[in-house]
Amino acid sequence: MSGSVVLVHLAGAVALMLFATRMVKTGVERAYGDVLRHRLRNTMRNPFMAVLAGTGLAIALQSSTAVTLLVGSFAGSGIVSGAAGQLAVRGAEIGSALVTKLLTFDLTLLVPVCLVTGTVMFMATERRDWRQLGRILVGIGLLVLSLEMIGQASEPLRDSEMLPIIITYFAGDPITAYLLAAFVTWLFQSSIAAILLMAALAGRGFIPPELGVVLVLGVNLGSSIIAPMLTRGADAAVRVVPVGNLLMRGVGSVVMLILFMIVNPPLGLLGATASDQIVNAHILFNVIILMAGLPLAGLVYRGSEWIVKLGTKPEPVDPFAVTELSALNEQALDTPSQALANATREVVRVCETVEIMLKRIIELYESADEGKIKALAALDDRVDRKHAAIKIYLAKVTRNVMTEDEALRCQELIGACVKLEQVGDIIVRNMLVHVQKKLDQGLEFTPEGWRELSAFHASVLANARLAFNVLVSRDAETARQLVLEKDRLRDFEKETSQKHFLRLRDGTPKSIETSSIHLDTIRDLKQINSLLASIAYPVLEEQGLLSGSRLKAS
């Protein structure tokens, strides 16, 4: 077999490994992303739990970079402290290394089991969670299969005359080998894929252990560069955690490379084979960085803040810029009536932001670009911040003695704020995903399908405005109208779905291509409408106009 054919086979096997890794990551994000993010938020206040949370999330997502980006966004929003974010990233690196170790075992039997089970689960049902679980299983099967393919594709290299020369050169030039490994990892966008490739080649005797350790250190440098590169256009607060990871892991790899070249320690303790030694060296390096990172987390975070600030150009000051003021006046907390009025003003501002998001999302379905998508996602961050601030403010209000009406109004505002935050999440985490899919795949709705979606969205937007009015006016008739609209929209949804299925039956190509986006969007809009309609329930209950969960006949 010629050298070019061998390289083609090897490239194909590596490509399958990268695809399978991404497939598993995407499946986990879609099926369990919200749950994992929520639990990560709640556990990162304790340093030890932050490390464990980062480890678990990296194992689930098959990517320490994904965890770094997620934790960076949390730190940028003020949800977690910077030091806790650094520790979570340290744990993520351990989790990523453990995944690599697990995949080096003989998992041949998993290939047919995962492929068959995953395919059946994906094709036998329309349930979103089961289909994503099927996607994960297929991805795991393909990942293990790709490792076997790498081994088989590299087998002919044993007879190569050039390979020993290349290996000898890199063994004698560790700095070049270190930088090459960093570049390959950055190219792969995955340290797991890079380490697995090196372990597979070492298992065939192509990479000696000493060179393997140097390559492992280069992989860790390359992996630490990925997140700062991906966030270079983000807000300064978001970039601090990725830069801190680069300081710890990247600089740590340089220090360890220098020490390794000077001391030249025996590698027998790392394992019996070259493959085991490479993977165990990767785990050991990240454990050392974790141990060093525990006492240095605060210092590293302050250093990364300084670096980010140094590279950030100051924004030009607009003397006529309007500063957004908060209505949550702490001095009014002792007077519940005034405090509740302040909270109402702030909730109304959240309503305005949600209305903008709901109005713009349908525009993105028709014409979207990356800038507009990021701008809409930023609005959800604003909703989350205000939602958190309002809940804390109202919790402080409840420390004072309140009348029954004031207590009910406080609960009503908290409930409305929670529902508004959920609406924002649906728009960003569900509907924006549909927009991105439509943009990436260049899909187009049929004229009939687009008219149905637009009409359904217009009804939801009109109901949103009714809900916001009810929140302020507490008018019983408007509240009753809003709940009646919920019933009408349910019938509208059935009618729209039936028309869509008729187009599918007729084999309309555009309907087939956009079917999942169309139906998922209708479902999301219906869920948004239900959340907004429930804002009217406290008013109707107070007026005695609800019987259980249904309106009384007038």
Side-chain angles (χ1 to χ4, degrees):
M1 187 182 295
S2 66
S4 58
V5 174
V6 172
L7 291 178
V8 168
H9 281 283
L10 188 59
V14 172
L16 179 61
M17 179 173 60
L18 295 175
F19 175 78
T21 304
R22 183 171 181 81
M23 191 174 184
V24 175
K25 173 177 172 288
T26 303
V28 172
E29 284 181 339
R30 292 179 180 177
Y32 311 109
D34 289 343
V35 175
L36 293 173
R37 290 184 182 94
H38 179 70
R39 291 186 178 177
L40 183 65
R41 287 184 181 185
N42 293 336
T43 57
M44 282 181 56
R45 294 174 178 84
N46 180 289
F48 179 71
M49 292 303 297
V51 174
L52 291 182
T55 302
L57 198 59
I59 292 173
L61 294 176
Q62 304 271 293
S63 172
S64 59
T65 300
V67 180
T68 303
L69 296 174
L70 180 61
V71 173
S73 68
F74 286 170
S77 301
I79 296 173
V80 300
S81 69
Q86 296 288 347
L87 294 177
V89 173
R90 298 278 65 75
E93 306 299 353
I94 298 291
S96 175
L98 292 177
V99 169
T100 308
K101 180 64 176 179
L102 177 64
L103 291 172
T104 58
F105 293 122
D106 184 6
L107 304 174
T108 306
L109 187 60
L110 277 182
V111 175
V113 173
C114 287
L115 291 179
V116 172
T117 306
T119 301
V120 170
M121 292 179 68
F122 189 84
M123 300 185 67
T125 179
E126 290 298 322
R127 285 185 54 181
R128 181 182 178 87
D129 53 346
W130 283 97
R131 287 173 67 88
Q132 295 306 327
L133 183 56
R135 180 193 297 273
I136 294 168
L137 290 175
V138 171
I140 292 173
L142 292 177
L143 184 55
V144 178
L145 178 62
S146 69
L147 296 176
E148 296 179 19
M149 291 175 61
I150 289 173
Q152 294 170 4
S154 60
E155 192 65 30
L157 292 175
R158 290 180 184 274
D159 302 324
S160 171
E161 297 179 358
M162 287 294 298
L163 188 61
I165 299 174
I166 296 173
I167 295 298
T168 303
Y169 171 76
F170 283 121
D173 187 358
I175 295 177
T176 301
Y178 170 80
L179 295 176
L180 179 63
F183 174 73
V184 169
T185 306
W186 175 81
L187 199 63
F188 284 2
Q189 297 281 292
S190 170
S191 61
I192 292 177
I195 293 292
L196 287 175
L197 175 60
M198 294 170 188
L201 295 177
R204 290 297 191 277
F206 301 127
I207 300 178
E210 293 77 10
L211 176 59
V213 172
V214 172
L215 295 176
V216 163
L217 296 173
V219 166
N220 282 277
L221 172 65
S223 180
S224 66
I225 292 173
I226 297 172
M229 290 292 291
L230 292 176
T231 57
R232 61 187 182 277
D235 292 338
V238 175
R239 298 184 349 242
V240 173
V241 167
V243 170
N245 182 45
L246 177 59
L247 279 179
M248 281 298 299
R249 197 175 176 204
V251 174
S253 71
V254 174
V255 173
M256 293 299 291
L257 176 65
I258 295 172
L259 290 176
F260 182 76
M261 293 170 62
I262 294 174
V263 178
N264 194 20
L267 301 179
L269 295 177
L270 292 176
T273 65
S275 176
D276 288 340
Q277 289 170 2
I278 286 177
V279 175
N280 292 338
H282 181 51
I283 296 175
L284 178 62
F285 170 79
N286 283 288
V287 169
I288 292 172
I289 295 299
L290 170 62
M291 299 305 294
L294 287 173
L296 296 177
L299 180 63
V300 170
Y301 188 76
R302 289 191 294 274
S304 55
E305 275 188 317
W306 179 78
I307 292 173
V308 169
K309 186 181 295 185
L310 198 64
T312 303
K313 296 181 179 178
E315 294 289 335
V317 178
D318 183 359
F320 299 103
V322 178
T323 303
E324 185 178 6
L325 300 176
S326 172
L328 305 178
N329 184 3
E330 296 281 335
Q331 296 178 352
L333 288 172
D334 293 334
T335 309
S337 59
Q338 292 183 20
L340 291 174
N342 290 338
T344 301
R345 287 173 55 197
E346 200 68 8
V347 173
V348 168
R349 290 177 177 173
V350 177
C351 291
E352 292 171 352
T353 304
V354 169
E355 182 176 350
I356 292 172
M357 294 174 66
L358 191 56
K359 184 177 179 181
R360 288 183 181 174
I361 187 64
I362 200 67
E363 298 171 0
L364 296 186
Y365 273 80
E366 193 170 17
S367 174
D369 57 48
E370 295 297 336
K372 293 178 180 178
I373 291 173
K374 289 182 180 179
L376 187 59
L379 290 179
D380 184 54
D381 293 337
R382 183 193 303 177
V383 170
D384 289 343
R385 287 194 301 270
K386 286 187 175 294
H387 167 240
I390 292 169
K391 284 198 302 183
I392 293 172
Y393 186 79
L394 290 174
K396 293 178 180 178
V397 175
T398 58
R399 297 172 184 170
N400 300 294
V401 177
M402 294 190 293
T403 66
E404 183 178 353
D405 288 343
E406 289 171 342
L408 290 173
R409 180 57 173 171
C410 184
Q411 290 300 317
E412 184 180 348
L413 290 173
I414 291 175
C417 200
V418 169
K419 293 177 179 69
L420 291 170
E421 195 261 348
Q422 291 173 338
V423 169
D425 286 345
I426 292 171
I427 292 173
V428 170
R429 297 179 185 176
N430 294 359
M431 299 181 74
L432 263 190
V433 172
H434 308 328
V435 168
Q436 188 72 57
K437 179 179 178 181
K438 181 175 179 290
L439 175 64
D440 292 343
Q441 299 182 10
L443 302 178
E444 293 293 337
F445 294 109
T446 62
E448 298 84 359
W450 177 242
R451 281 196 295 270
E452 291 166 9
L453 276 181
S454 299
F456 199 89
H457 172 269
S459 296
V460 174
L461 183 59
N463 291 344
R465 289 164 178 160
L466 284 177
F468 302 155
N469 289 339
V470 168
L471 186 62
V472 178
S473 68
R474 308 193 82 251
D475 178 64
E477 185 55 37
T478 306
R480 188 173 186 280
Q481 180 186 350
L482 181 59
V483 176
L484 289 173
E485 283 294 318
K486 178 183 176 182
D487 293 336
R488 187 188 69 81
L489 203 72
R490 186 184 300 114
D491 297 333
F492 191 3
E493 184 244 345
K494 291 179 181 177
E495 179 185 346
T496 300
S497 298
Q498 288 172 356
K499 289 180 179 178
H500 178 73
F501 284 121
L502 285 175
R503 290 193 294 273
L504 289 180
R505 187 189 65 183
D506 294 338
T508 306
K510 288 185 177 180
S511 292
I512 295 173
E513 292 173 349
T514 60
S515 178
S516 61
I517 296 178
H518 183 104
L519 295 176
D520 287 348
T521 300
I522 292 293
R523 180 204 63 200
D524 293 334
L525 288 171
K526 181 185 175 185
Q527 188 177 358
I528 288 172
N529 189 77
S530 298
L531 287 168
L532 294 173
S534 64
I535 292 177
Y537 291 167
V539 176
L540 294 172
E541 287 176 355
E542 185 179 310
Q543 298 294 325
L545 295 175
L546 277 182
S547 176
S549 61
R550 307 295 297 170
L551 280 170
K552 288 183 178 180
S554 56

